[in-house]
Amino acid sequence: MRLYSFQDQQAVDAINALDDDTYMFTDFSKSHLYRSVRDQQTLFEAYRWMAEKLAQKTDIYIETEQHGKIPPLPWWAWYKVDGKCEEPSTEYEMTSWGKQDFSKEKTYLLTLEVPDEMVLLSDINAFYNCLEGQPCFDYMSEEDEEKAREDFAAKCSEFAKTRETKLGEELERLIYDSWENIFIVDGSRRLKTINTGHPLMPVIEEKYDVQAAFPVMMKRFIVDMKVVIEGC
């Protein structure tokens, strides 16, 4: 599967140091993306959940002395941008998440060929629901989504008052079950306004962007590598 991944100099140096038949997991302590969310439980829960889903598909785990087998946090890439399988512009650069100004960092665009069985695709705009800890009703009609969100809000209000265990479990199950929708990447999701967290700057979708998660990086995956941001 042809994928495109933005990586900084530190990641590229580590990849170049690999032997042809060795691989590397994401380094949690060095990844700008994961460092920026590690103290934010809601955000990190979404990445942990994605890691579990990826491990279920690939059966690739990290062996640890303390916790045994654990799912590795994913490497990320783009499969589709603006609805097309093509090279993304630097507007899609993700290694900058967690940094104030990514233009100061030298950044590479890696063109990759990763085996299909190692890749988990998802709709990145639907994934925002996971990052916010909210259910994903995006694939419903506008009317059905509004009703589903009203019902969910009502149950949340009831749980806040009663703290009933059964209701809490029901809400948790509803959220995680709905997250499975993000793996529908056939273009059937209704285009909508994405909540950016800024009331004056919502994002109105025009086309679909599909992200790719994969468990390990190998030098032999790389078809091409080029500098796209020189940094300063």
Side-chain angles (χ1 to χ4, degrees), residues 32-46:
H32 295 295
L33 175 59
Y34 296 128
R35 281 192 307 175
S36 70
V37 302
R38 62 184 173 184
D39 295 324
Q40 301 177 54
Q41 185 59 40
T42 300
L43 287 172
F44 191 74
E45 175 61 16

Side-chain angles (χ1 to χ4, degrees), residues 14 28 30 52 59 62 64 68 73 80 106 109 122 159 180 189-190 203 219 221:
F28 178 87
K30 295 177 182 177
E52 288 185 351
D59 199 31
I62 297 175
T64 67
L73 289 168
K80 283 187 178 182
K106 191 171 186 176
L109 177 60
S122 59
F159 177 70
E180 299 288 341
R189 183 174 62 82
R190 178 170 48 84
V203 175
K219 186 186 288 187
F221 291 168

Side-chain angles (χ1 to χ4, degrees), residues 22 29 37 55 57 79 86-87 95 102 107 130 132 199 224 229:
T22 57
S29 66
V37 302
K57 176 178 180 178
Y79 175 62
E86 63 182 20
E87 185 177 301
T95 63
F102 73 80
T107 303
C130 309
E132 295 169 0
D224 186 46
I229 300 172

